[in-house]
């Protein structure tokens, strides 16, 4: 456990995120069109990837919609370690077991819950939209990259986005995560997968201590105004479970971005 460390910081904003969530899922490949919310923009999705001519260093030039990927100054992911900031704002989970459904958007596998879930951050409510993974992790902890990272994407009524990131290390097989990892291969083949009952609270580590900072989507269009909450404690998944993730989407991780003077708040709770 650490005590809260204080550094100066800009506001832990949650920008007006209207449309951001749609953009998150706007890269869905046409074959997966039956899944998830429809993009609110009329722009056709632009191809992007994690290497080569459409890789992260080129995202900003691939489309006029992706400009933030190269010109943004509050991008994600970042390396976290030391903390700073104003008064830590506590995170509370409002999750329960729910039937889950999985789809693949061509870049990752997404899990949705069929009943309402969410979080509160300093009393503000955010509804859970979808969870997906990156392998290896996108955020690094004191320079250390983990085997995988899960992103629980939430949206408030005002459109603001809050993403809870959970790092994953190799360890014992994790039964709570099995409904997701078991469904990844079928989803990757283009099917909508019924994940059965997912014990959502059990997907989280015991401690909700986390790093909070203002960042962006880690995929095009890299929109900023995203409240990030990266949990300090990783979850453990079995080697086979992690291999399943990599088999579907290996290397779907954006490199760490410059902090550019942003503050990172350590929230111990
Ligand atoms: Zn993500």
């Amino acid at each position: 456990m650490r005590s809260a460390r204080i550094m100066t910081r800009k506001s832990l904003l949650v920008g007006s995120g209207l449309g951001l969530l749609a953009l998150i899922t706007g890269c869905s490949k046409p074959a997966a069109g039956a899944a998830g919310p429809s993009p609110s923009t009329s722009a056709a999705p632009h191809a992007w990837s994690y290497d080569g001519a459409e890789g992260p260093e080129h995202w900003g030039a691939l489309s006029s919609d992706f400009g933030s990927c190269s010109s943004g100054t509050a991008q994600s992911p970042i390396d976290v370690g030391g903390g700073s900031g104003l008064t830590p704002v506590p995170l509370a989970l409002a999750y329960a077991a729910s039937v889950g459904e999985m789809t693949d958007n061509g870049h990752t596998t997404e899990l949705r819950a069929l009943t309402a879930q969410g979080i509160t951050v300093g009393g503000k409510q955010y509804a859970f939209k979808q969870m997906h993974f990156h392998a290896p992790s996108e955020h690094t902890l004191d320079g250390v990259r983990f085997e995988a990272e899960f992103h629980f994407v939430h949206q408030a009524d005002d459109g603001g986005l809050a993403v809870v990131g959970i790092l994953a290390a190799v360890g014992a097989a994790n039964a709570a995560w099995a409904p997701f990892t078991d469904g990844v291969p079928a989803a990757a083949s283009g099917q909508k997968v019924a994940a059965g009952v997912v014990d959502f609270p059990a997907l989280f580590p015991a401690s909700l201590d986390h790093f909070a900072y203002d960042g962006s989507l880690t995929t095009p269009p890299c929109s900023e105004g995203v409240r990030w909450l990266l949990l300090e404690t990783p979850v453990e998944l079995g080697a086979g479970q992690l291999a399943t993730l990599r088999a579907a989407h290996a290397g779907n991780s954006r490199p760490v971005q410059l902090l550019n003077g942003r503050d990172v708040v350590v929230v111990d709770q």
Side-chain angles (χ1 to χ4, degrees), residues 132-134 138 151 153 163 218-219 228:
H132 61 268
F133 75 91
H134 301 268
E138 296 202 299
H151 288 161
V153 180
V163 183
T218 67
T219 56
W228 276 93

Side-chain angles (χ1 to χ4, degrees), residues 106-195:
H107 302 290
T108 187
T109 312
E110 295 185 351
L111 171 69
R112 290 181 172 76
L114 298 192
T115 58
Q117 313 284 338
I119 58 173
T120 60
V121 182
K124 181 172 180 174
Q125 295 186 328
Y126 294 84
F128 172 67
K129 296 301 180 181
Q130 48 95 356
M131 187 285 299
H132 61 268
F133 75 91
H134 301 268
S137 72
E138 296 202 299
H139 289 88
T140 54
L141 199 54
D142 290 322
V144 175
R145 192 173 297 281
F146 283 71
E147 297 282 340
E149 180 174 339
F150 299 106
H151 288 161
F152 289 73
V153 180
H154 308 81
Q155 189 168 39
D157 286 345
D158 66 5
L161 294 179
V163 183
V164 175
I166 301 179
L167 300 166
V170 64
N174 188 321
W177 276 94
F180 179 73
T181 56
D182 288 352
V184 163
S189 70
Q191 301 175 45
K192 180 184 286 189
V193 175

Side-chain angles (χ1 to χ4, degrees), residues 56-63 66-73 75 221-222 224 254 257:
E57 66 270 34
H58 303 296
W59 286 352
L62 293 177
S63 163
F66 297 172
S68 291
C69 299
S70 54
S71 65
T73 57
Q75 292 287 291
C222 310
E224 297 182 346
R254 188 188 194 193
Q257 305 292 303

Side-chain angles (χ1 to χ4, degrees), residues 184-246:
V184 163
S189 70
Q191 301 175 45
K192 180 184 286 189
V193 175
V197 176
V198 178
D199 185 357
F200 277 89
L203 301 180
F204 291 77
S207 169
L208 294 181
D209 291 354
H210 64 276
F211 299 96
Y213 77 98
D214 295 329
S216 75
L217 305 183
T218 67
T219 56
C222 310
S223 310
E224 297 182 346
V226 177
R227 177 193 286 261
W228 276 93
L229 306 99
L230 181 72
L231 302 192
E232 289 186 33
T233 305
V235 293
E236 285 190 356
L237 267 69
Q241 291 178 297
L242 291 165
T244 297
L245 302 183
R246 287 191 294 268

